[in-house]
């Protein structure tokens, strides 16, 4: 059986933490930023963790299990 290919889009968007969770960037930070508050834009800069419900699908894309 051939090797599994990692999904290139997922490879660029997600990274694995030391404890095995999946880190992602926040959405809604690209354009139309004038009406968003300074606090909201600052909080969107920080990475977030993928929800437990979506972890299995993303791990499949990254060929982790």
């Amino acid at each position: 059986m051939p090797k599994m290919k990692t999904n290139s889009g997922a490879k660029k968007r997600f990274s694995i933490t030391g404890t095995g969770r999946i880190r992602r960037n926040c959405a809604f930070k690209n354009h139309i930023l004038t009406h968003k508050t300074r606090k909201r834009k600052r909080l969107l800069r920080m990475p977030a963790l993928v929800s437990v419900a979506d972890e299995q699908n993303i791990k499949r894309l990254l060929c982790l299990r």
Side-chain angles (χ1 to χ4, degrees):
M1 197 158 124
K3 290 182 182 178
M4 294 268 300
K5 280 194 175 180
T6 302
N7 184 290
S8 295
K11 178 170 58 177
K12 295 167 192 172
R13 286 173 173 81
F14 301 106
S15 61
I16 309 299
T17 64
T19 56
R21 299 291 307 272
I22 300 171
R23 189 183 295 126
R24 65 171 175 82
N25 291 324
C26 292
F28 309 112
K29 187 70 172 63
N30 286 325
H31 60 103
I32 316 174
L33 299 173
T34 51
H35 76 275
K36 295 174 186 158
T37 63
R38 216 180 285 167
K39 180 181 178 180
R40 184 173 163 192
K41 290 185 279 192
R42 185 173 63 245
L43 290 172
L44 286 171
R45 266 187 244 143
M46 295 182 232
L49 292 176
V50 169
S51 70
V52 179
D54 297 326
E55 265 187 18
Q56 201 62 39
N57 290 332
I58 293 166
K59 282 184 178 179
R60 192 173 294 122
L61 291 173
L62 297 173
C63 298
L64 295 175
R65 269 196 238 174

